[in-house]
Amino acid sequence: MSEISTNSVGFGSVGIVSAQTAHFDAPLTLKSGAVLPSFDLMYETYGTLNAAKSNAVIVCHALSGNHHVAGKYHESDKSAGWWDNLIGPNKPLDTNKFFVIGLNNLGGCHGSSGPSSVNADTGKPFGAAFPIVTVDDWVNSQALLLDYLGIETLAAVIGGSLGGMQALQWTLAYPTRIKHALVIASAPNLTAQNIAFNEVARQAIMTDPEFYAGDYYSHNTVPRRGLRIARMLGHITYLSDDAMGAKFGRKLKDEIKYSFDVEFEMESYLRYQGDKFAGEFDANTYLRMTRALDYYDPALDFGGDLSAALSKVKAEFLVLSFTSDWRFSPARSREIVKALLDNELTVSYAEVTAAHGHDAFLMPDAHYHSILRSYFSQVEV
Amino acid sequence: MTNTTQNNVNSTNKINLITKYRQDFAIIAGWVGFGSKVLDLGCGDGTLLQFLRSSLDTKGYGVEKDDANWLACMQNGTNVIQMDLEAGLSGFEDQSFDTVILSQTLQAMHNTEEIVQEMLRVGREVIVTFPNFGYWRNRIQIASGGHMPVSKDLPFQWFDTPNVHLCTINDFDQFCKNHNISVIERKVITEGNEVSFMPNLMGNLAMYRLKVS
């Protein structure tokens, strides 16, 4: 869920990229019943759509991601897109073969319509008035983007965490439009513990005096403290205890000063990550992304029976989890696998040994990337 | 379940494939139905499933713990689930497979009774194969040399062997009797040839086709 860039632009990079906006004038009815009269989706593409239009892959982002998945906007950019280690010429998701689409989900804060976008009716940011969006809504809007791009069928959808939920939802909502789903470090719904973490994050934001019930834009401020704490909490849960121990341990910044200043390296890291995030992300978007996570539960309409929920699925699956991921544990991925097995669907499942916790899905681990490379090499286009 | 006969298959194709592979595979193929749904536990690099798929048009999944083997399976188009068999088969529904196979892995299992019961729960039929510890060459190594046997089929020293539950054909017959498991068929092979005379002494690899009594 955090943006990690391990590769700079160079060999295997998609190079310099630019984002585009797709505008949709037809009203979109959301799962909540609310209607968006029109909306924008910000997206990027890498590689070339083939003549048969059969090589498109959507990359779905997680909590804090966006459409900038690979490459750089300028040579001088400090970091590349958030999954640049995966996507590019001769990389596991090879842009010589595939036409890769990254987009910013509805409710986002990176160019797609969201709480910080200007409402044409009022000339002011939507703020709290922007509706609650769900994983289902995102997938429906992604399908509209496909229509806009003239693509009927996706070779694959890939996503980690909340992105994995979107990949799964694609196979449910549009079984004939998706051939392969790569569901990574994900779950068929959130556990109570996970909802609890999200609620603490939301409370941090909503109780910040600068929140102004979500309309902080008109007060020319942002609930920076709340967003910062929410992000710090998130970072704790994305890492494993072991990874934190290995990276920070009990290392001190300096000698113990018997104060509440930053004493430990761990604190320094969290504060840095919190400050960085609070300076670039929108609090209302964060609230909505966590809510989308909470609400996603495809088995709900089937009495909790995920196997029944997946009965219309046709896609082939690769499901991956990471041994040290306790936020989206391997057991949750195995629930998805079981439902797929019950439906006799084509599925492979691996539990990748990794120390990094939930964040492992963004890391360029050799075995993990061999799996993805092998899988994508077998996807027919 | 479709009843299997070799007639169902393009015979030339099948013979070519069998000779390319192994005698134990040929026997397993004879026990697996055409087009049936197979679960191969400890499937290695997926060779057996690939063989069954190409010769009998089977569908199904492999289960494999090792990363390199798992990747090899995926690369040859075998559906493979990474999990540890010692934890049982909780991800698989009762009677959801025509055949569940455990090929030359039983002797390395800690929870031997549990895995056999789990296989019988998940599969309508079960195939188990294992190296027969009663094979005369093993007996000679103990009787004359006074050492634990080391051979092509049991290539480990006593201290580094993964084979924690070696047994003889007589032992396994007894095990089945005690656990109300019915033996549909048993075949014993040595160096690729079927053995019928004194199998517990002359047989190298024991192969059982089982179901619940």
Side-chain angles (χ1 to χ4, degrees):
Chain A
M1 292 191 185
S2 53
E3 291 84 32
I4 290 162
S5 46
T6 47
N7 286 24
S8 57
V9 172
F11 175 75
S13 170
V14 296
I16 301 300
V17 299
S18 57
Q20 293 164 274
T21 307
H23 181 73
F24 299 87
D25 267 327
L28 178 67
T29 303
L30 302 172
K31 197 173 186 189
S32 65
V35 177
L36 277 178
S38 67
F39 61 96
D40 290 338
L41 288 179
M42 193 75 130
Y43 70 99
E44 284 177 19
T45 68
Y46 323 106
T48 310
L49 185 63
N50 64 10
K53 298 183 176 182
S54 62
N55 66 337
V57 176
I58 287 187
V59 180
C60 299
H61 69 74
L63 193 58
S64 61
N66 55 44
H67 54 280
H68 187 37
V69 185
K72 291 183 171 184
Y73 295 136
H74 306 284
E75 285 291 352
S76 58
D77 287 359
K78 268 196 282 183
S79 57
W82 59 268
W83 219 347
D84 191 74
N85 63 38
L86 179 79
I87 299 154
N90 303 313
K91 285 185 179 171
L93 177 44
D94 187 351
T95 48
N96 291 326
K97 176 179 178 182
F98 294 105
F99 178 65
V100 179
I101 304 162
L103 80 157
N104 186 210
N105 280 329
L106 274 180
C109 55
H110 292 95
S112 291
S113 298
S116 52
S117 323
V118 173
N119 181 346
D121 294 343
T122 62
K124 291 177 184 167
F126 281 95
F130 196 86
I132 299 276
V133 283
T134 64
V135 169
D136 305 36
D137 298 329
W138 287 338
V139 168
N140 292 339
S141 66
Q142 288 163 13
L144 292 170
L145 179 65
L146 271 201
D147 296 341
Y148 172 90
L149 296 170
I151 299 164
E152 174 56 30
T153 308
L154 288 164
V157 176
I158 180 171
S161 190
L162 178 56
M165 288 175 166
Q166 293 161 62
L168 176 61
Q169 178 61 23
W170 256 101
T171 70
L172 295 163
Y174 300 96
T176 59
R177 294 189 74 174
I178 169 171
K179 303 273 194 209
H180 294 268
L182 292 88
V183 178
I184 304 171
S186 195
N189 60 22
L190 287 195
T191 59
Q193 187 193 45
N194 249 333
I195 294 170
F197 282 127
N198 284 345
E199 173 58 4
V200 174
R202 283 190 295 269
Q203 284 297 315
I205 292 168
M206 293 189 294
T207 57
D208 186 320
E210 310 290 319
F211 183 60
Y212 292 105
D215 289 320
Y216 43 86
Y217 315 98
S218 56
H219 294 80
N220 291 316
T221 186
V222 290
R224 171 179 284 271
R225 280 165 292 181
L227 190 54
R228 183 169 172 267
I229 293 168
R231 186 58 170 176
M232 288 166 84
L233 174 69
H235 266 286
I236 298 169
T237 69
Y238 306 151
L239 285 172
S240 67
D241 191 15
D242 286 347
M244 267 191 196
K247 193 169 179 185
F248 305 105
R250 294 185 51 82
K251 266 182 276 178
L252 293 164
K253 289 291 287 179
D254 204 345
E255 294 203 342
I256 288 181
K257 294 195 288 283
Y258 298 96
S259 76
F260 296 110
D261 292 339
V262 172
E263 296 267 55
F264 294 93
E265 290 283 0
M266 183 71 246
E267 295 172 300
S268 173
Y269 171 80
L270 283 181
R271 289 192 189 191
Y272 170 77
Q273 291 294 342
D275 286 336
K276 183 165 161 266
F277 190 70
E280 62 193 25
F281 207 82
D282 179 61
N284 278 320
T285 290
Y286 202 81
L287 295 178
R288 277 158 184 75
M289 296 287 163
T290 59
R291 225 17 170 180
L293 271 163
D294 293 353
Y295 283 138
Y296 190 60
D297 188 4
L300 186 65
D301 292 338
F302 295 85
D305 184 347
L306 188 63
S307 301
L310 268 56
S311 66
K312 292 200 174 68
V313 169
K314 291 183 162 62
E316 300 184 9
F317 277 75
L318 176 67
V319 181
L320 300 178
S321 68
F322 298 91
T323 50
S324 58
D325 184 354
W326 56 278
R327 184 99 197 239
F328 288 79
S329 72
R332 304 308 321 278
S333 285
R334 286 197 295 266
E335 289 178 37
I336 298 173
V337 172
K338 182 180 183 304
L340 296 168
L341 289 171
D342 288 347
N343 284 291
E344 301 191 350
L345 289 160
T346 295
V347 54
S348 282
Y349 167 68
E351 225 161 272
V352 180
T353 303
H356 286 100
H358 190 51
D359 268 349
F361 87 84
L362 293 164
M363 305 284 182
D365 172 78
H367 178 58
Y368 169 46
H369 272 199
S370 306
I371 293 171
L372 293 175
R373 181 183 293 280
S374 301
Y375 193 85
F376 276 119
S377 72
Q378 290 180 67
V379 171
E380 288 176 15
V381 298
Chain B
M1 174 179 129
T2 329
N3 220 341
T4 325
T5 56
Q6 300 196 350
N7 306 338
N8 294 31
V9 194
N10 176 326
S11 55
T12 323
N13 178 34
K14 186 173 171 182
I15 287 160
N16 287 342
L17 279 161
I18 289 171
T19 49
K20 207 174 126 197
Y21 293 97
R22 303 166 0 189
Q23 177 64 17
D24 57 329
F25 282 17
I27 290 172
I28 290 171
W31 290 346
V32 168
F34 186 86
S36 65
K37 190 179 165 194
V38 176
L39 181 64
D40 184 8
L41 305 178
C43 65
D45 62 6
T47 311
L48 174 61
L49 279 171
Q50 241 188 321
F51 167 65
L52 294 174
R53 211 161 53 229
S54 53
S55 56
L56 293 166
D57 200 23
T58 57
K59 55 184 192 275
Y61 309 87
V63 171
E64 179 56 44
K65 189 171 65 172
D66 177 73
D67 283 349
N69 278 334
W70 186 95
L71 193 59
C73 282
M74 213 259 281
Q75 286 168 342
N76 67 38
T78 300
N79 291 329
V80 56
I81 309 299
Q82 189 166 36
M83 57 184 262
D84 187 355
L85 295 176
E86 300 288 0
L89 300 175
S90 60
F92 299 94
E93 283 292 328
D94 296 358
Q95 301 293 292
S96 57
F97 285 83
D98 296 313
T99 305
V100 180
I101 301 170
L102 187 67
S103 172
Q104 301 195 47
T105 304
L106 184 75
Q107 75 281 357
M109 296 286 305
H110 287 260
N111 300 314
T112 315
E113 286 179 295
E114 190 195 341
I115 194 64
V116 174
Q117 296 297 352
E118 277 286 87
M119 290 172 77
L120 290 161
R121 175 182 69 77
V122 169
R124 285 179 273 277
E125 285 191 14
V126 161
I127 296 172
V128 173
T129 79
F130 58 87
N132 173 31
F133 202 69
Y135 182 45
W136 66 272
R137 286 183 186 275
N138 297 336
R139 298 192 196 198
I140 280 183
Q141 286 196 44
I142 295 179
S144 68
H147 290 292
M148 284 297 282
V150 178
S151 65
K152 195 176 67 184
D153 297 296
L154 298 169
F156 302 98
Q157 297 291 337
W158 66 271
F159 51 84
D160 66 2
T161 182
N163 298 328
V164 291
H165 282 137
L166 288 161
C167 69
T168 69
I169 289 172
N170 289 352
D171 290 331
F172 196 74
D173 283 342
Q174 191 67 49
F175 176 89
C176 292
K177 200 172 287 176
N178 294 346
H179 290 80
N180 288 320
I181 299 165
S182 112
V183 178
I184 306 167
E185 224 172 318
R186 186 188 79 186
K187 292 207 176 188
V188 180
I189 57 177
T190 301
E191 303 290 332
N193 298 311
E194 236 177 286
V195 175
S196 48
F197 174 68
M198 298 183 72
N200 194 36
L201 185 63
M202 306 305 290
N204 187 5
L205 181 71
M207 307 185 65
Y208 284 78
R209 182 183 184 187
L210 310 168
K211 62 173 187 172
V212 178
S213 281

